[in-house]
Amino acid sequence: METTVWQTDGWLTGVDWRPSPNFGPRPDGLVTLVVLHNISLPPGEFGGECVEDFFLNRLDAAAHPYFSEIAGLHVSAHFYIRRDGRLVQFVGADQRAWHAGRSSWQGRGECNDFSIGIELEGCDEQHFAAAQYAALWPLLAALRQRYPITALAGHSDIAPGRKTDPGPHFDWAAVRARHPDLALPPEVVALPK
């Protein structure tokens, strides 16, 4: 993403577009939060097209025992960063993707209404790849150019007790170093500098 160009409805040029049907309009159009997630399908396995298929409502429920539990869900994220750093966009960032579920950030509920969801291919038990961070940094910069982003949180921060991602291996210190003005989760703020 050397040159950031936004298309209609918040589609970013230079990334792989896979439009998901799982989105809706934002109630007020204001985007102030980025939410980080991790995902791997099957759990703990990387590569393949299962995550894309899940967000596009075409996951084969018979392909893995876990898939029968989630195949009927209609979820999406705005962006997905694969282990090799390839960036996939499922929902225009001006729209409301269905990534957060029941959630609250700093007293405000329904985080899908005012957030961008970024999924990192990964799991709680492993570190993320350097290529993923190399893709995340310019994506965050591009989002901050377009939207008045004031905070970045993990799914675990907006849905505590229900979610654990992006997990203990995400490099929050690197986020803080690059974006010191963003509101971050309390446990990140408490980390030594």
Side-chain angles (χ1 to χ4, degrees):
M1 284 190 304
E2 292 177 17
T3 302
T4 303
V5 178
W6 291 96
Q7 300 294 316
T8 303
D9 286 337
W11 288 91
L12 190 59
T13 60
V15 304
D16 185 8
W17 292 354
R18 303 259 177 109
S20 172
N22 304 327
F23 72 96
R26 292 188 187 277
D28 64 14
L30 188 62
V31 177
T32 59
L33 173 68
V34 172
V35 178
L36 297 175
H37 306 261
N38 73 41
I39 189 169
S40 57
L41 293 175
E45 295 182 25
F46 308 134
E49 300 295 316
C50 294
V51 172
E52 285 94 334
D53 289 345
F54 181 47
F55 291 151
L56 299 172
N57 299 340
R58 61 182 192 205
L59 186 64
D60 180 2
H64 186 275
Y66 179 69
F67 294 173
S68 64
E69 297 176 32
I70 63 169
L73 299 176
H74 296 276
V75 297
S76 59
H78 293 93
F79 297 95
Y80 171 51
I81 303 176
R82 297 187 61 125
R83 300 295 287 184
D84 62 4
R86 184 166 58 95
L87 186 57
V88 180
Q89 186 172 6
F90 293 98
V91 175
D94 289 355
Q95 301 296 319
R96 181 183 189 270
W98 302 341
H99 62 95
R102 291 182 323 276
S103 54
S104 176
W105 174 253
Q106 297 181 340
R108 185 174 176 194
E110 300 298 327
C111 292
N112 284 336
D113 291 350
F114 59 96
S115 68
I116 299 287
I118 301 174
E119 293 275 1
L120 297 161
E121 185 177 24
C123 60
D124 287 1
E125 295 78 29
Q126 294 186 37
H127 289 276
F128 294 98
Q132 291 179 287
Y133 290 110
L136 178 62
W137 306 139
L139 175 58
L140 286 175
L143 289 167
R144 295 195 71 195
Q145 287 175 353
R146 183 174 175 92
Y147 304 100
I149 304 293
T150 59
L152 190 140
H155 202 183
S156 58
D157 301 300
I158 65 168
R162 187 172 68 83
K163 295 295 181 177
T164 59
D165 52 320
H169 298 291
F170 181 76
D171 191 352
W172 284 105
V175 172
R176 185 172 60 186
R178 284 172 173 75
H179 301 279
D181 60 317
L182 284 179
L184 298 173
E187 67 274 12
V188 177
V189 174
L191 291 174
K193 291 188 178 187

